[in-house]
Amino acid sequence: MKKFFREHGIWVLFATAVIAVSLSLMSFFSNTSSPLSNLAGIIASPFRSAYTAVTGWITDKQNYYQEVTALEEENAALRRENAILKAQNRLAQTNNEENARLRDLLNLRPQNYDLELETASVTERTVTNWTSSLTLNIGTDHGVEVNDCVIDETYALVGVVSEVGLNWCTVLTIVDTDTSLGAQVFRTKDLGLAVGDFSLMRENRLRLDYLPADCQLLGGDLVVTSGLGGYYPSGLSVGTVEEVQLSDSGAASYAVLEPAADFDSLVEVFVIKSFDIQT
């Protein structure tokens, strides 16, 4: 045995070292991966890092683009809203100026009236192809009579009493086809007859007939009662001009009027039981 180790000992140590190194390598690779897989992973690692970086950059750019697009859309919506608000403000300012002008014009009337008014509530509205009327909760018991005028709180003409009971009355509105009254264009002083019209009644509109063919009416002109005949006070607001057209004969003009009173929103009205002119 001693002789064997003296002659072959170095080879035994070499073989033992080789076996130990082999076992160590096998243990290492069994705990990680195969040599080819490990080598492939080492080579691919930089590419994986580059792909991750590029993907992250693209994602950031996409998020940035979406945020910028959302901000642009929001800014466009705000600009549109701002433009609408400016337009509404201009319209409100124009309306205020027009209302002030009309108030000044109305205050120039040379006459005023001592009106005896009776307050009434609207209990029913009737609108059909043939009539437009209101029912009020006062009647003969309150001194109401047929042909009495009815106005709203702004002294705009609502209509005329057509039928009266003890504690009720029926009022034909100024757009009803059975209504007709003398009227005058406040600005031009042109006289006409305000009448209900079948084709206009459902649109809450009426006509101003028998105007001169060469009348110079403008949209928005105020039309008031003329007071001719003494049946109605003069100067009550009837409505405003929407459009002017020539009659079929071409010898006269007529205007389509929008009533000054809002029939659909009326809750309380006033019946003029009598009036006296005061100069």
Side-chain angles (χ1 to χ4, degrees):
M1 182 66 67
K2 292 181 180 179
K3 182 179 179 181
F4 175 80
F5 278 108
R6 280 198 303 269
E7 293 177 359
H8 304 287
I10 189 169
W11 295 107
V12 171
L13 290 176
F14 177 75
T16 301
V18 170
I19 293 171
V21 171
S22 299
L23 290 174
S24 298
L25 290 174
M26 290 176 64
S27 175
F28 172 77
F29 287 118
S30 65
N31 290 331
T32 56
S33 59
S34 66
L36 292 176
S37 297
N38 188 44
L39 179 61
I42 292 172
I43 295 173
S45 180
F47 295 98
R48 291 195 189 99
S49 299
Y51 173 78
T52 301
V54 172
T55 302
W57 181 82
I58 293 174
T59 301
D60 290 341
K61 292 300 181 182
Q62 288 176 339
N63 293 337
Y64 175 77
Y65 174 77
Q66 291 174 353
E67 291 175 358
V68 170
T69 302
L71 288 175
E72 289 178 348
E73 293 176 352
E74 184 178 355
N75 287 337
L78 289 174
R79 286 194 295 270
R80 288 193 296 270
E81 183 178 355
N82 186 46
I84 292 172
L85 290 174
K86 286 182 177 179
Q88 291 175 343
N89 184 57
R90 289 193 298 269
L91 179 61
Q93 184 176 357
T94 301
N95 289 339
N96 288 336
E97 293 173 353
E98 178 67 12
N99 289 337
R101 185 182 69 83
L102 289 176
R103 284 194 298 269
D104 291 340
L105 288 174
L106 293 175
N107 288 334
L108 293 177
R109 294 178 187 173
Q111 298 173 330
N112 55 55
Y113 294 88
D114 182 15
L115 304 178
E116 183 183 356
L117 303 177
E118 187 71 37
T119 304
S121 297
V122 177
T123 59
E124 186 179 358
R125 293 178 175 83
T126 302
V127 179
T128 68
N129 290 330
W130 308 102
T131 187
S132 172
S133 64
L134 304 172
T135 301
L136 309 183
N137 65 344
I138 60 174
T140 56
D141 195 34
H142 301 82
V144 177
E145 298 178 355
V146 172
N147 291 328
D148 283 346
C149 288
V150 179
I151 60 176
D152 66 8
E153 70 277 4
T154 66
Y155 282 64
L157 185 61
V158 173
V160 179
V161 175
S162 63
E163 188 177 4
V164 185
L166 181 66
N167 60 355
W168 61 272
C169 66
T170 299
V171 177
L172 296 181
T173 70
I174 58 176
V175 300
D176 187 272
T177 54
D178 286 336
T179 300
S180 64
L181 55 116
Q184 184 178 39
V185 180
F186 186 83
R187 182 178 61 85
T188 65
K189 307 305 179 185
D190 288 321
L191 294 172
L193 188 68
V195 297
D197 183 90
F198 280 113
S199 62
L200 297 174
M201 185 174 61
R202 294 303 293 262
E203 301 175 9
N204 273 341
R205 298 294 187 268
L206 69 158
R207 288 168 56 126
L208 182 62
D209 284 342
Y210 306 115
L211 293 169
D214 59 349
C215 66
Q216 301 296 317
L217 272 62
L218 301 174
D221 270 342
L222 177 66
V223 177
V224 298
T225 54
S226 65
L228 296 178
Y231 292 104
Y232 311 111
S234 65
L236 299 176
S237 299
V238 176
T240 53
V241 174
E242 279 195 343
E243 59 178 319
V244 180
Q245 297 185 6
L246 279 175
S247 62
D248 294 337
S249 65
S253 298
Y254 72 90
V256 176
L257 304 183
E258 178 184 3
D262 184 359
F263 307 127
D264 294 332
S265 65
L266 289 176
V267 176
E268 185 178 72
V269 295
F270 305 91
V271 178
I272 302 178
K273 296 195 295 183
S274 65
F275 60 93
D276 293 320
I277 300 176
Q278 295 179 342
T279 57

Coordinates of all heavy atoms in Angstrom, one line a residue, residues 8 23 26 29 42 63 86 103 152 154 166 171 176 198-199 267:
H8 N 1.9 6.1 -7.0 CA 0.7 6.7 -7.7 C 0.0 7.7 -6.9 O -1.1 8.2 -7.2 CB -0.3 5.5 -8.0 CG 0.3 4.4 -8.8 ND1 0.6 4.5 -10.1 CD2 0.7 3.1 -8.4 CE1 1.2 3.4 -10.5 NE2 1.2 2.5 -9.5
L23 N -17.8 18.0 -8.7 CA -18.9 18.0 -7.8 C -19.4 19.4 -7.5 O -20.5 19.7 -7.4 CB -18.6 17.2 -6.5 CG -18.4 15.7 -6.7 CD1 -18.0 15.0 -5.4 CD2 -19.8 15.1 -7.2
M26 N -21.1 20.9 -10.5 CA -22.5 20.3 -10.6 C -23.4 20.9 -9.6 O -24.6 21.2 -9.9 CB -22.4 18.8 -10.5 CG -21.6 18.1 -11.7 SD -21.4 16.3 -11.4 CE -23.2 15.9 -11.4
F29 N -24.3 24.6 -10.7 CA -25.2 24.7 -11.9 C -26.6 24.1 -11.6 O -27.6 24.5 -12.1 CB -24.6 24.0 -13.1 CG -23.5 24.9 -13.7 CD1 -22.2 24.4 -13.8 CD2 -23.8 26.1 -14.2 CE1 -21.2 25.1 -14.4 CE2 -22.8 26.9 -14.7 CZ -21.5 26.4 -14.8
I42 N -27.1 35.7 -19.7 CA -26.1 36.8 -19.5 C -26.1 37.6 -20.8 O -26.0 38.9 -20.7 CB -24.7 36.1 -19.3 CG1 -24.7 35.4 -17.9 CG2 -23.6 37.2 -19.4 CD1 -23.4 34.6 -17.7
N63 N -48.7 58.7 -22.0 CA -49.4 59.4 -20.8 C -49.3 60.9 -21.0 O -50.3 61.6 -20.7 CB -48.7 59.0 -19.5 CG -49.0 57.5 -19.2 OD1 -49.9 56.9 -19.7 ND2 -48.1 56.9 -18.4
K86 N -70.1 85.5 -22.6 CA -70.0 86.8 -23.2 C -71.1 87.2 -24.0 O -71.6 88.3 -23.9 CB -68.7 86.9 -24.0 CG -67.4 86.9 -23.1 CD -66.2 87.1 -24.0 CE -64.9 87.2 -23.1 NZ -63.7 87.4 -24.0
R103 N -89.1 102.0 -20.9 CA -89.7 102.7 -19.7 C -89.7 104.2 -19.8 O -90.6 104.9 -19.4 CB -88.9 102.3 -18.4 CG -89.1 100.8 -18.0 CD -88.6 100.6 -16.6 NE -87.1 100.7 -16.5 CZ -86.3 99.7 -16.7 NH1 -86.8 98.5 -17.0 NH2 -85.0 99.9 -16.7
D152 N -102.1 92.3 -16.4 CA -101.3 91.6 -15.5 C -100.6 92.7 -14.6 O -100.9 93.9 -14.7 CB -100.2 90.7 -16.2 CG -99.2 91.5 -17.0 OD1 -99.2 92.7 -17.0 OD2 -98.5 90.8 -17.7
T154 N -97.8 94.1 -14.8 CA -97.0 95.1 -15.6 C -97.9 96.0 -16.4 O -97.4 96.7 -17.2 CB -96.0 94.4 -16.5 OG1 -96.7 93.7 -17.5 CG2 -95.1 93.4 -15.7
L166 N -121.7 84.6 -10.8 CA -121.7 85.2 -9.5 C -120.3 85.3 -8.9 O -119.9 86.4 -8.4 CB -122.6 84.4 -8.5 CG -122.7 85.0 -7.1 CD1 -123.4 86.3 -7.1 CD2 -123.4 84.0 -6.2
V171 N -112.5 85.0 -19.4 CA -111.7 86.1 -20.1 C -111.2 85.6 -21.4 O -110.5 84.6 -21.4 CB -110.6 86.6 -19.2 CG1 -109.8 87.7 -20.0 CG2 -111.1 87.2 -17.9
D176 N -107.3 85.3 -28.8 CA -108.5 84.6 -29.2 C -109.1 85.2 -30.5 O -109.1 86.4 -30.7 CB -109.6 84.7 -28.0 CG -110.8 83.8 -28.3 OD1 -111.7 84.3 -29.0 OD2 -110.8 82.6 -27.9
F198 N -106.8 82.6 -36.4 CA -106.8 81.1 -36.3 C -105.4 80.5 -36.4 O -105.0 79.6 -35.7 CB -107.8 80.5 -37.3 CG -109.2 80.6 -36.9 CD1 -110.1 81.3 -37.6 CD2 -109.7 79.9 -35.8 CE1 -111.4 81.4 -37.2 CE2 -111.0 80.0 -35.4 CZ -111.9 80.7 -36.1
S199 N -104.7 80.9 -37.4 CA -103.4 80.3 -37.7 C -102.3 80.8 -36.7 O -101.3 80.1 -36.6 CB -103.0 80.7 -39.1 OG -102.8 82.1 -39.2
V267 N -100.8 83.8 -12.8 CA -101.4 83.3 -11.6 C -102.4 84.3 -11.0 O -103.5 83.9 -10.6 CB -100.3 83.0 -10.5 CG1 -101.0 82.5 -9.2 CG2 -99.4 81.9 -11.0

